[in-house]
């Protein structure tokens, strides 16, 4: 069972604020390529950058998937997908764990809305997580902007 940390949601939003206005694509690649000793910090950083990049690209969905030992991360527009450098397995596992803790989801499959405060604004996204014996996914759907 996950231990609930009420500060994870706040830490995620602070990480988003910290990286607002940076080159998300380049920074996420650095985070994926050079993990630090702090897996939770890396997971929050990677997730924040992926969320900001998806938002900036005006994409509809961010997907993080693990099937067996292969991890993929994609940003999906209406007709195209952008593949991102995936995080290390330990960082991926921590990202899933963090999102499950924020949303209080212990079941194998579930979802709910999540509000992210970004500076003086906020956005509500729909988060879904799913776990089977050989696969785990995290999908974040963004509202249509504009």
């Amino acid at each position: 069972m996950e231990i609930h940390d009420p500060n994870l949601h706040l830490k995620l939003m602070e990480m988003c604020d910290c990286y607002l206005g940076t080159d998300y694509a380049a920074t996420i690649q650095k985070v994926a390529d050079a993990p630090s000793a702090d897996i939770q910090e890396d997971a929050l950083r990677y997730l924040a950058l992926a969320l900001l990049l998806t938002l900036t690209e005006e994409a509809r969905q961010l997907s993080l998937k693990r099937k067996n030992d292969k991890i993929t991360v994609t940003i999906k527009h209406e007709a195209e997908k952008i593949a991102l450098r995936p995080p290390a397995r330990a960082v991926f596992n921590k990202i899933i764990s963090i999102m499950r803790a924020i949303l209080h989801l212990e079941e194998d499959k579930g979802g709910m809305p999540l509000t992210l405060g970004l500076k003086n604004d906020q956005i509500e996204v729909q988060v879904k997580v799913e776990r089977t014996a050989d696969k785990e996914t995290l999908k974040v759907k963004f509202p249509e902007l504009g």
Side-chain angles (χ1 to χ4, degrees), residues 28-95:
I28 204 167
Q29 187 166 330
K30 288 178 192 169
V31 171
D33 289 346
S36 73
D38 189 339
I39 292 173
Q40 178 168 300
E41 186 82 5
D42 288 345
L44 287 164
R45 185 177 294 124
Y46 189 95
L47 184 56
L49 288 163
L51 290 167
L52 290 168
L53 183 58
T54 306
L55 194 58
T56 302
E57 291 287 326
E58 297 180 6
R60 301 288 294 135
Q61 181 174 289
L62 167 65
S63 296
L64 292 92
K65 297 180 184 178
R66 179 194 54 79
K67 186 168 185 179
N68 298 317
D69 287 329
K70 181 176 168 68
I71 296 172
T72 57
V73 180
T74 55
I75 294 175
K76 186 177 179 184
H77 289 274
E78 297 299 328
E80 71 170 316
K81 286 184 180 180
I82 300 170
L84 300 180
R85 180 85 47 116
R89 173 76 181 259
V91 174
F92 173 86
N93 291 343
K94 193 65 171 175
I95 288 169

